[in-house]
């Protein structure tokens, strides 16, 4: 999901429940993920850089500790720490940080789990997902037991919401506080949605992506999320003008966006389901809720490559279809930022962040923030009064590296760091320190420097004018690489087949 896909971040998509949390709570202008699913989830769950946790790539084992494809024992999950501190630990949704059963949620601290072990799934059935030239099995589990309803008798987003509400009901019979990790798969491809949700958006996208992007950007300015004088990201050269498409092309693209919007809409409905359950249980006034997305919207065209074409056997949105949003609409979803999922430009790694805690967080607050996934674990432990152990089950733990956001959330205090933020993904690199962001795209490996305070669209490369800044940050990057066992030359470990995607 992109930076601009919620109503509270400029979208026309109907997201009243998340927008209510935003209006009654706090939004950050700048919150960073790791630009793609598994590495992001590794950092969410552990408070570690993805490589330190063992998920430098995906959930495949590439034979090196930083790329082993599952969470290592030194990196404790939120569930392990909070459970040790007296919490019930619940999860419903997508896991994607370990395929072997020894690395599943119930084995990493969760009392109850329902959801998808791997990275993606059809929404109406548990059929295989064709990835990287092979049949990728979809494993859906509930507390270590295989779960499967008859095909086309369920919708996965609803099942994730229903199980979360059920777990909260069961947990309310204890006298413990709870932690719920709710990880919707939507709106990840394939684009599949319920007919009644799709119907809400019929005709809404007839205006095309050019006009829709202008609408969203204007709304972001009105909301106070961006300054009107900030330069916009340059239009991606591969996104065609809407008016240059044929009639049939426009019909297909309109249908894709109608379904994508419907998927986000249904996700929001299930957020509402959980909020209603909290209110029913009289726990809504003592619960911190944080909402983020795991990467920017993707440039992936999964339906028309060699691997996927045979899977796309029905109209867009149905259980027989296998389409993705594609670069053309993702260009809108990531407004006003540059690039897409998998890239370390702002569009690939920027997430909305909504934080809500009645009586603790001031309503309708917008802060810059410049926060990161690694800050979430320290925040939750701070709020919960939980101790993070130095040794756990006989293993010395990796120390937490992030900063608690409690001061930012509750008092509006500026977030100060003593070290930059670092990223590496598929050979792509980035560093953020203060206003400066250094970016390098694999395999070119040429540093670009941007002043994010004045150019979040990353339109003006200042590397040549600021060689001292480039030198300083690049040296700090090498120190981070060594400390986290990052492979500097991605060609040395590059899998034979990176996922069948195009992430520019």
């Amino acid at each position: 999901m992109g930076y601009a896909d919620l109503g509270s971040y400029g979208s026309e998509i109907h997201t009243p429940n998340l927008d209510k949390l935003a209006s009654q709570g706090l939004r950050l202008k700048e919150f960073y993920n790791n630009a793609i699913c598994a590495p992001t989830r590794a950092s969410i769950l552990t408070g570690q850089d993805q490589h330190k946790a063992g998920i430098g790539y995906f959930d495949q084992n590439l034979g090196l500790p930083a790329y082993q494809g599952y969470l290592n024992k030194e990196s404790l999950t939120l569930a392990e720490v909070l459970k040790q501190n007296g919490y019930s630990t619940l999860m419903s949704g997508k896991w994607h940080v370990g395929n072997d059963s020894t690395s599943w949620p119930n084995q990493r601290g969760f009392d109850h789990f329902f959801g998808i072990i791997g990275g993606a799934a059809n929404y109406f059935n548990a059929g295989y997902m064709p990835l990287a030239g092979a049949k990728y099995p979809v494993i859906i589990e509930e507390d270590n037991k295989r779960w499967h309803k008859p095909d086309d008798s369920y919708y996965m987003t609803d099942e994730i919401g229903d199980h979360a509400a059920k777990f909260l009901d069961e947990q309310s019979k204890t006298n413990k506080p709870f932690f719920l990790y709710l990880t919707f798969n939507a709106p990840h491809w394939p684009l599949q949605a319920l007919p009644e949700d799709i119907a809400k958006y019929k005709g809404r996208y007839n205006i095309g992506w050019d006009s829709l992007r202008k609408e969203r950007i204007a709304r972001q300015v009105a909301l106070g999320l961006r300054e009107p004088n900030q330069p916009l990201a340059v239009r991606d050269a591969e996104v065609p003008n809407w008016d240059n498409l044929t009639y049939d092309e426009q019909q297909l693209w309109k249908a894709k966006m109608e379904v994508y919007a419907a998927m986000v809409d249904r996700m929001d409905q299930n957020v509402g389901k959980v909020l209603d359950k909290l209110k029913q249980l009289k726990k809504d006034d003592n619960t911190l809720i944080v909402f983020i997305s795991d990467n920017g919207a993707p440039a992936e065209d999964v339906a028309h490559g060699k691997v996927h074409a045979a899977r796309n056997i029905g109209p867009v949105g149905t259980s027989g279809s296998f389409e993705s949003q594609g670069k053309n609409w993702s260009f809108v979803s990531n407004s006003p930022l540059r690039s897409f999922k998998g890239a370390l430009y702002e569009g690939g790694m920027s997430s909305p962040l909504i934080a809500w805690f009645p009586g603790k967080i001031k309503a309708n607050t917008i802060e810059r923030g410049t926060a990161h996934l690694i800050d979430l674990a320290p925040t939750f432990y701070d709020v919960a009064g939980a101790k993070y152990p130095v040794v756990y089950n006989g293993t010395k733990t990796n120390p937490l590296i992030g900063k608690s956001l409690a001061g930012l959330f509750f008092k509006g205090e500026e977030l100060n760091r003593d070290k930059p933020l670092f990223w590496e993904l598929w050979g792509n690199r980035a560093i953020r320190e203060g206003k400066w962001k250094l970016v390098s795209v694999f395999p070119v490996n040429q540093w670009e420097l941007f002043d994010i305070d004045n150019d979040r669209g990353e339109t003006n490369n200042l590397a040549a004018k600021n060689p001292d800044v480039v030198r300083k940050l690049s040296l700090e990057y090498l120190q981070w690489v060594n400390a986290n066992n990052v492979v500097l030359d991605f060609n040395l470990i590059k899998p034979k087949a990176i996922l069948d995607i195009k992430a520019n």
Side-chain angles (χ1 to χ4, degrees), residues 90 164-172 178 274 277-278 281:
L90 317 170
K166 181 184 81 168
F167 290 159
L168 288 173
D169 244 341
E170 294 171 354
Q171 192 279 335
S172 69
F178 74 89
V274 173
K277 179 57 65 177
L278 289 174
L281 297 173

Side-chain angles (χ1 to χ4, degrees), residues 21 37 52 105 107 147 208 334 358 377 396 431 441 446 481:
L21 296 181
C37 39
K52 199 72 170 180
Q107 283 68 265
W147 181 93
N334 294 333
K396 185 178 179 181
I431 312 148
V441 179
Q446 182 70 44
V481 164

Side-chain angles (χ1 to χ4, degrees), residues 313-327:
I313 55 174
V316 181
T318 64
S319 64
S321 69
F322 203 92
E323 291 278 0
S324 59
Q325 184 190 19
K327 179 179 287 189

Side-chain angles (χ1 to χ4, degrees), residues 440-453:
S440 171
V441 179
F442 180 81
V444 178
N445 297 333
Q446 182 70 44
W447 286 119
E448 299 175 84
L449 181 68
F450 300 103
D451 175 356
I452 298 298
D453 284 359

Side-chain angles (χ1 to χ4, degrees), residues 74-93:
E74 295 81 8
S75 301
L76 301 188
T77 69
L78 292 164
E80 287 169 329
V81 175
L82 290 171
K83 186 173 185 176
Q84 186 173 273
N85 282 270
Y87 273 69
S88 298
T89 52
L90 317 170
M91 178 181 173
S92 186

Side-chain angles (χ1 to χ4, degrees), residues 183-201:
T183 56
F184 292 105
N185 201 36
H188 195 291
W189 48 261
L191 297 181
Q192 297 175 350
L194 295 167
E196 60 266 34
D197 293 329
I198 299 172
K200 297 179 186 179
Y201 298 95

Side-chain angles (χ1 to χ4, degrees), residues 35-46:
I36 205 158
C37 39
T40 283
R41 290 158 197 272
S43 290
I44 291 173
L45 279 162
T46 66

Side-chain angles (χ1 to χ4, degrees), residues 345-375:
Y345 292 113
E346 293 287 285
M349 60 197 292
S350 293
S351 167
L353 181 143
I354 297 169
W356 178 88
F357 200 161
K360 304 280 198 322
I361 294 177
K362 185 180 177 182
N364 205 26
T365 299
I366 297 177
E367 299 283 357
R368 184 177 69 169
T370 319
H372 185 275
L373 300 161
I374 58 174
D375 302 323

